[in-house]
Amino acid sequence: MKTPRPLPDELRTGPFTLADAALAGVSARRWRHGSLVRHGRGIRMERTTAALPLSARVRPFIEVNGRCAASHATAAELHGLPQRRQNEGLEVYHLIRPEGAAHLARPHVIVHRMKLFEDEVMMMGGLPVTTPERTWLDMAEMLSVDEIVAMGDSCVRVPRLELEGRDMPLCSIGDLQLMINRHKGKRGLRKAKEAMELIRVGSDSPQETLLRLALVRAGMPEPELNVAIIDSTGQRHHEPDLSYRKYRIGIEYEGEHHGEEGQILRDIARSERYTALGWTEVRISKRHMLNDAKSAVMKVRSALVQAGWRRGD
């Protein structure tokens, strides 16, 4: 096979459509050359293309399928929402198309045809994507109630400007409720309604959400989320991931980064502050969350009982 002419630079960064190729002056012969990977009718990609962000990978599939937007698991990933890890293998993109639009059957995409309001689609870097609240409702078709709660918590949490570059939540609890009210009879609606009763503002990670749910289901009081400890002089101290102020107990979920040297030193300093303030620190890790978080529940229950809590308090 004759070595093909190099593609224009703008087409070497990811998948591209026939329209993109024509605009860049690529001939029909070059478009059909075997060095290009076919991703369905009207989409090609150079075999040597390096790993690309999801927005670049999904863009051509939206462009060749009119009236579509990224949705469901694809939109959740674009918004940075927590979800169950998908099976490895050939990537499939989720697109949504308004109810009544023509059916599409293409490789690499799952097209959902359903009721879709104009204000349920937003632009992200020029890419149409379902809004966080609509994505949350759509994902109720695919996730467990606990996973929907974790995603809802992530939607409504108030981010830290210095860490994330924004200080506004992706949406409000009212926005989530509006989706439920609008889409009566939708698949997953029952689970979404159940999850709405459990969504809280303040959880900084899915692990914190799942720990909170496990504690409440085990009959313990609902903990507060990321509320600062205030001492007798009114001075504000650090914010435990979960806490029981009445019992002076702070619960810290330690992710994988807590094994780093710098974080270990910070954790030691935090433990010393707990002791100085007369609080009890309960540290929870991934291993405590196995087997329906039974170990985590036992650790927290033990601390509560020692602090004077009794079931029914």
Side-chain angles (χ1 to χ4, degrees), residues 244-304:
Y244 294 106
R245 280 188 285 179
K246 178 180 177 180
Y247 301 101
R248 302 172 75 84
I249 293 172
I251 307 166
E252 303 286 358
Y253 185 89
E254 301 184 345
E256 294 179 1
H257 70 285
H258 283 262
E260 300 169 0
E261 182 177 355
Q263 187 62 50
I264 290 173
L265 295 175
R266 288 190 289 272
D267 289 344
I268 292 173
R270 184 192 65 199
S271 296
E272 292 171 345
R273 289 196 301 272
Y274 270 112
T275 300
L277 291 166
W279 276 56
T280 298
E281 179 188 35
V282 180
R283 302 172 73 171
I284 303 297
S285 66
K286 182 178 180 179
R287 66 184 178 85
H288 296 112
M289 297 299 292
L290 300 175
N291 195 19
D292 296 325
K294 288 181 180 178
S295 293
V297 167
M298 288 176 61
K299 287 192 71 173
V300 175
R301 180 186 287 119
S302 177
L304 279 170

Side-chain angles (χ1 to χ4, degrees), residues 11-32:
L11 301 184
R12 305 187 71 180
T13 58
F16 56 90
T17 66
L18 178 59
D20 294 330
L23 189 63
V26 174
S27 68
R29 183 175 181 179
R30 180 68 178 92
W31 170 263
R32 295 192 298 268

Side-chain angles (χ1 to χ4, degrees), residues 65-311:
N65 295 315
R67 301 179 68 191
C68 284
S71 68
H72 294 72
T74 302
E77 185 174 343
L78 289 168
H79 286 300
L81 296 174
Q83 57 179 315
R84 187 185 313 141
R85 183 182 295 274
Q86 303 297 309
N87 292 330
E88 299 294 335
L90 183 66
E91 185 167 32
V92 175
Y93 308 108
H94 290 264
L95 307 181
I96 193 169
R97 217 172 190 213
E99 201 173 42
H103 176 70
L104 283 175
R106 279 180 174 270
H108 307 289
V109 297
I110 297 174
V111 180
H112 307 264
R113 288 189 303 166
M114 53 184 67
K115 184 187 296 184
L116 181 67
F117 292 87
E118 288 186 7
D119 63 356
E120 293 172 5
V121 174
M122 62 186 290
M123 301 301 292
M124 295 181 66
L127 194 70
V129 182
T130 52
T131 60
E133 57 268 35
R134 176 57 197 261
T135 302
W136 171 82
L137 183 62
D138 286 335
M139 289 302 291
E141 302 176 11
M142 305 176 173
L143 303 178
S144 68
V145 171
D146 283 6
E147 290 169 330
I148 302 166
V149 175
M151 183 174 285
D153 279 3
S154 184
C155 283
V156 304
R157 64 177 288 271
V158 179
R160 292 167 172 79
L161 181 62
E162 65 277 13
L163 297 178
E164 301 169 63
R166 63 183 180 93
D167 59 2
M168 294 296 293
L170 294 177
C171 66
S172 68
I173 290 179
D175 293 330
L176 299 180
Q177 185 62 57
L178 175 61
M179 291 298 102
I180 288 176
N181 296 342
R182 273 184 175 181
H183 296 279
K184 299 184 185 303
K186 191 178 188 301
R187 284 181 57 195
L189 196 64
R190 180 192 58 77
K191 288 190 291 183
K193 289 179 178 179
E194 185 177 344
M196 275 297 297
E197 300 298 319
L198 300 169
I199 291 171
R200 301 287 184 270
V201 175
S203 180
D204 275 346
S205 72
Q207 293 79 13
E208 292 176 25
T209 295
L210 297 177
L211 177 56
R212 169 175 62 86
L213 296 176
L215 296 175
V216 172
R217 285 173 182 155
M220 281 171 271
E222 181 167 334
E224 293 182 290
L225 306 173
N226 289 286
V227 175
I229 296 174
I230 301 177
D231 65 23
S232 58
T233 68
Q235 182 179 354
R236 291 174 61 90
H237 296 271
H238 66 282
E239 302 173 359
D241 294 334
L242 303 91
S243 62
Y244 294 106
R245 280 188 285 179
K246 178 180 177 180
Y247 301 101
R248 302 172 75 84
I249 293 172
I251 307 166
E252 303 286 358
Y253 185 89
E254 301 184 345
E256 294 179 1
H257 70 285
H258 283 262
E260 300 169 0
E261 182 177 355
Q263 187 62 50
I264 290 173
L265 295 175
R266 288 190 289 272
D267 289 344
I268 292 173
R270 184 192 65 199
S271 296
E272 292 171 345
R273 289 196 301 272
Y274 270 112
T275 300
L277 291 166
W279 276 56
T280 298
E281 179 188 35
V282 180
R283 302 172 73 171
I284 303 297
S285 66
K286 182 178 180 179
R287 66 184 178 85
H288 296 112
M289 297 299 292
L290 300 175
N291 195 19
D292 296 325
K294 288 181 180 178
S295 293
V297 167
M298 288 176 61
K299 287 192 71 173
V300 175
R301 180 186 287 119
S302 177
L304 279 170
V305 169
Q306 290 182 31
W309 171 78
R310 296 294 180 269
R311 184 179 289 271

